[in-house]
Amino acid sequence: MKITITVEDPTPEALERLLALAALPGASVSAEPDDRWTPELARAYYESLPPRARHIMREVIAGGGWCSVDQARGDSGQSLRGCTGAFARRLREGALAGRWPAALPVPVMSVIAAGAVVKLEMPGRGTDGDPLPAFQTALIDERQ
């Protein structure tokens, strides 16, 4: 049996009681921060994105966590102005609907230089909060 408990902003007293429960013989406790992407969350999030954002996400994953402006445009040649807005909007909407934690970071952001988008990337690359491995695992079928 697996029991999952989500505690948001626990008081010191509540945290102490939970830790006491975890210390019982035979108890097995694992903790996952709610600001980390998992493959399950990444897949649900990806499926909620509009087609253009999905394309950008696939390009960023294929590029190891970033892609150029030309790759993001694809064959359409469309402007990328506001292209990452869908990522933040879907993240916020999903958190409000309870589909994923509100603490998840936006997985794709624009890098702007001299007032123009120069590339798109996953923030947090190379850190504990790197979303790339979760998205690579979640979207393995999409990349083939």
Side-chain angles (χ1 to χ4, degrees), residues 44-106:
Y45 174 77
Y46 173 81
E47 289 176 353
S48 77
L49 293 171
R52 185 169 182 211
R54 283 184 184 199
H55 167 77
I56 291 170
M57 178 68 76
R58 287 190 305 269
E59 292 297 326
V60 168
I61 291 167
W66 74 277
C67 75
S68 71
V69 172
D70 292 334
Q71 290 169 311
R73 281 190 185 117
D75 296 333
S76 71
Q78 291 179 312
S79 166
L80 292 178
R81 184 177 179 95
C83 68
T84 57
F87 294 105
R89 191 171 39 261
R90 295 295 183 182
L91 189 63
R92 190 174 46 254
E93 291 168 356
L96 288 173
R99 289 191 296 263
W100 41 73
L104 286 174
V106 176

Side-chain angles (χ1 to χ4, degrees), residues 2 14 21 27 34 36 40 42 46 61 67 72 74 93 98 113 120 122:
K2 178 179 177 181
L21 277 173
D34 64 355
R36 301 288 193 271
E40 296 78 23
Y46 173 81
I61 291 167
C67 75
E93 291 168 356
L120 296 139
M122 289 188 154

